[in-house]
Amino acid sequence: DTEVTQTPKHLVMGMTNKKSLKCEQHMGHRAMYWYKQKAKKPPELMFVYSYEKLSINESVPSRFSPECPNSSLLNLHLHALQPEDSALYLCASSQDRSGTSSYEQYFGPGTRLTVT
Amino acid sequence: AQSVTQLDSQVPVFEEAPVELRCNYSSSVSVYLFWYVQYPNQGLQLLLKYLSGSTLVESINGFEAEFNKSQTSFHLRKPSVHISDTAEYFCAVSDQEDTDKLIFGTGTRLQVFP
């Protein structure tokens, strides 16, 4: 299984709502990532979890709150977002825990988020 | 710190023509290099990668890329494109000692016309 799954596919939320994005991988990877991608731009790294611990936070506003409840799951909790936060949110994973994998990141299909 | 430059934001070609998408990188350390493809409304898929060994790497769908250390380049080529190759292509680089930070280029939109 070389798949990263993300739910929901689409999400529309108001600026006062609280919602969560979910990502799952069953490849035994040690690292999981959240990226934000605006239209016609490359993905921008937001957070990295390594062995379920937050290892990189790219100065993301606190209205985005990541969580890694176990080795297969990654959540992104959203609260009080702004319209400029509308984007495609991509999850990725990489590197099996034995350290023998070849470093590429496997991406999910993304969640298209619209903030109204 | 690394950086990646994709000079061509758009490359229009006719079907069955050859194509080259250019990628140059800048880094003071040893790197791994990747090409990802993104079809409309989808996530990124790995097309090919260079980690070590042979400088010419190939994908299963006819693309190839050559790592040129002296020119710090990793250009992507295909001898004959199909309509289905229409997509956004991203070149990316990571530090061999810090593979969690993947630095992307700005992308090249390949548009294949019939």
Side-chain angles (χ1 to χ4, degrees), chain A residues 16-105:
Chain A
T16 57
N17 290 160
K18 283 186 182 181
K19 296 285 185 184
S20 296
L21 310 184
K22 180 180 169 182
C23 172
E24 197 162 2
Q25 58 91 9
H26 294 288
M27 294 178 276
H29 286 167
R30 63 129 185 108
M32 296 186 76
Y33 312 78
W34 279 116
Y35 288 87
K36 174 182 177 180
Q37 187 181 26
K38 301 284 272 185
K40 301 189 189 301
K41 298 288 186 185
E44 299 171 26
L45 184 63
M46 299 174 72
F47 303 103
V48 181
Y49 274 82
S50 180
Y51 296 106
E52 295 88 68
K53 296 263 189 296
L54 183 65
S55 59
I56 297 177
N57 177 340
E58 292 286 51
S59 303
V60 179
S62 59
R63 57 186 184 267
F64 294 91
S65 174
E67 179 197 19
C68 190
N70 60 53
S71 59
S72 302
L73 272 178
L74 185 67
N75 298 320
L76 186 63
H77 302 298
L78 315 172
H79 174 54
L81 294 193
Q82 303 297 309
E84 59 264 29
D85 296 321
S86 298
L88 181 68
Y89 287 83
L90 294 164
C91 174
S93 70
S94 73
Q95 287 199 29
D96 68 57
R97 290 170 178 257
S98 66
T100 58
S101 68
S102 51
Y103 310 115
E104 65 261 34
Q105 293 185 19

Side-chain angles (χ1 to χ4, degrees), chain B residues 1-89:
Chain B
Q2 296 89 37
S3 67
V4 180
T5 301
Q6 292 182 248
L7 287 170
D8 307 304
S9 59
Q10 295 186 71
V11 173
V13 293
F14 287 108
E15 197 172 19
E16 298 182 9
V19 71
E20 178 179 81
L21 307 185
R22 296 180 293 169
C23 173
N24 288 88
Y25 70 93
S26 171
S27 177
S28 57
V29 299
S30 297
V31 297
Y32 297 131
L33 293 156
F34 306 89
W35 275 100
Y36 284 88
V37 59
Q38 187 174 32
Y39 299 100
N41 299 313
Q42 292 188 27
L44 277 71
Q45 299 173 31
L46 180 71
L47 196 55
L48 41 75
K49 62 191 178 193
Y50 174 78
L51 303 179
S52 65
S54 172
T55 57
L56 184 66
V57 290
E58 298 176 354
S59 72
I60 56 172
N61 55 358
F63 283 95
E64 66 178 31
E66 186 157 19
F67 170 55
N68 187 318
K69 189 173 182 179
S70 62
Q71 296 186 10
T72 60
S73 68
F74 190 53
H75 301 330
L76 182 69
R77 302 184 183 95
K78 189 171 185 180
S80 175
V81 294
H82 302 289
I83 297 281
S84 59
D85 293 323
T86 294
E88 190 81 24
Y89 291 79

